Amino acid sequence: MTVVELYGGPLDGKRHEVEGVPGVELRFAAVPKWEGAREDESVTLVYRREEGVYRYVESVPGV
């Protein structure tokens, strides 16, 4: 198990456990939490390893 820290975006400063060796890119499914949000508004948060740390790249519609 490897623990990585995420920088930027909605998960800034959070730590995440990754099974085995983490890849170049990490993706997280995110469902909006505000009242009235629909499941079809969910996004995939993309973090990419740059200079040894994972930085936020983009939010892609859909999961």
Side-chain angles (χ1 to χ4, degrees):
M1 191 72 64
T2 304
V3 176
V4 297
E5 190 163 353
L6 305 170
Y7 293 93
L11 300 177
D12 186 45
K14 304 281 187 199
R15 292 174 183 250
H16 180 71
E17 290 184 349
V18 178
E19 188 74 33
V21 178
V24 173
E25 195 170 272
L26 297 176
R27 293 177 171 257
F28 302 92
V31 178
K33 294 185 179 179
W34 58 84
E35 188 171 329
R38 300 185 323 260
E39 187 74 27
D40 64 346
E41 294 177 310
S42 41
V43 296
T44 299
L45 305 174
V46 180
Y47 285 79
R48 190 167 294 133
R49 187 173 58 220
E50 297 173 356
E51 300 174 8
V53 298
Y54 284 90
R55 298 194 186 280
Y56 175 75
V57 176
E58 64 182 337
S59 295
V60 181
V63 179

